[in-house]
Amino acid sequence: MSTFVLVPGFWLGAWAWDGVAAPLRAAGHRVHPVSLPGLAERAGEQGDFGLEDHIADLAELLVREDLWDVVLVAHSGACAPVGGVADRMPERIRRVVYLDSGPMADGASVYDLWQPDFRAEADATAVDSRFPMPSWEYMTAHGSSTEGLDDAALAQIRTRLTPHPVGAYRDALRLTGAGAALPQALVSCSFPLEQVRALIAAGHPWFAGMDRPNWELRELPTGHWPMFSRPADTAALLAELAAI
């Protein structure tokens, strides 16, 4: 059996993994869904939380719960804190899984990867150092597909979203390279895996190194939110990757 730490993307909390955690636990796995500082039930915590706070929170979880041989899962923008803690505590990690996400380079921020108009939207709408999620229509137009989710599901999810700390996406990730050799996986959901393979072959910097033997590539066709649109299939694929 495996130990999973599930880190959700922007605006989400541990609750986002309910449909994934249940089948994993039913199969006997140990599962730790995460709400990072300033989000979900922790939205009332005071502070202008930055990326280092989110990395430190994940590190503290691993130590507090005495977690080893961890399958560390990053959905979307969780790539930055997950990449950070894997770099700092690689001895505790069995595999890093990027779920419709990808690894961050040293010195980069999530903000750097956004389109200019999305950066402008974030800058204009942030309140008290927190950025609320734009409309579903806006997100879809910027590459975050809602395939597999109907209007009722989207409305229900919307009621639980919380604004994301600005520093967590504006701060640059600093890496030593200590986690680079860990087994890693990319699960492509909202764009075809053949497109990913083509970008790897072309030497695209966002996909650098994914042709190395420590990488596994998988596809789970759905939108950008597979924990909501295909939770059971997401759980099954994570269990499969953990068993490699």
Side-chain angles (χ1 to χ4, degrees):
M1 295 296 101
S2 300
T3 297
F4 291 90
V5 172
L6 308 177
V7 190
F10 290 171
W11 309 293
L12 303 171
W15 61 270
W17 297 106
D18 287 351
V20 175
L24 287 174
R25 287 174 175 143
H29 300 292
R30 189 179 181 189
V31 186
H32 295 266
V34 172
S35 291
L36 291 169
L39 291 154
E41 73 276 10
R42 304 180 66 179
E45 295 178 358
Q46 299 301 308
D48 295 335
F49 297 109
L51 179 56
E52 284 297 322
D53 297 302
H54 283 187
I55 293 171
D57 194 76
L58 290 176
E60 195 274 334
L61 169 68
L62 298 184
V63 172
R64 182 182 72 246
E65 299 295 331
D66 194 26
L67 304 182
W68 297 86
D69 204 30
V70 170
V71 180
L72 183 60
V73 181
H75 168 249
S76 190
C79 56
V82 161
V85 77
D87 181 75
R88 297 176 194 192
M89 308 180 81
E91 70 281 358
R92 290 179 178 259
I93 310 302
R94 179 196 302 179
R95 180 179 295 278
V96 181
V97 180
Y98 294 97
L99 183 63
D100 220 38
S101 181
M104 295 283 297
D106 177 46
S109 71
V110 174
Y111 187 81
D112 294 336
L113 305 180
W114 288 345
Q115 299 169 31
D117 63 325
F118 197 91
R119 291 199 296 268
E121 174 75 10
D123 294 343
T125 60
V127 177
D128 296 329
S129 298
R130 309 274 174 110
F131 171 36
M133 193 184 90
S135 69
W136 289 114
E137 293 77 14
Y138 190 92
M139 294 298 295
T140 299
H142 286 77
S144 296
S145 167
T146 57
E147 181 181 341
L149 298 169
D150 60 20
D151 289 344
L154 294 174
Q156 183 178 29
I157 294 166
R158 171 67 67 174
T159 65
R160 304 190 70 176
L161 301 177
T162 46
H164 205 84
V166 168
Y169 59 79
R170 291 198 66 130
D171 295 346
L173 177 63
R174 300 299 177 186
L175 301 173
T176 67
L182 284 169
Q184 301 184 62
L186 180 146
V187 178
S188 183
C189 300
S190 56
F191 48 96
L193 187 55
E194 63 184 38
Q195 181 180 346
V196 174
R197 295 189 189 278
L199 290 167
I200 294 170
H204 193 292
W206 293 1
F207 299 90
M210 289 188 189
D211 53 352
R212 295 173 184 159
N214 63 316
W215 275 92
E216 294 284 336
L217 303 178
R218 295 288 189 275
E219 189 172 43
L220 183 63
T222 186
H224 183 60
W225 320 87
M227 68 277 283
F228 301 129
S229 58
R230 295 184 64 179
D233 292 332
T234 299
L237 184 50
L238 293 178
E240 176 189 328
L241 288 167
I244 296 175

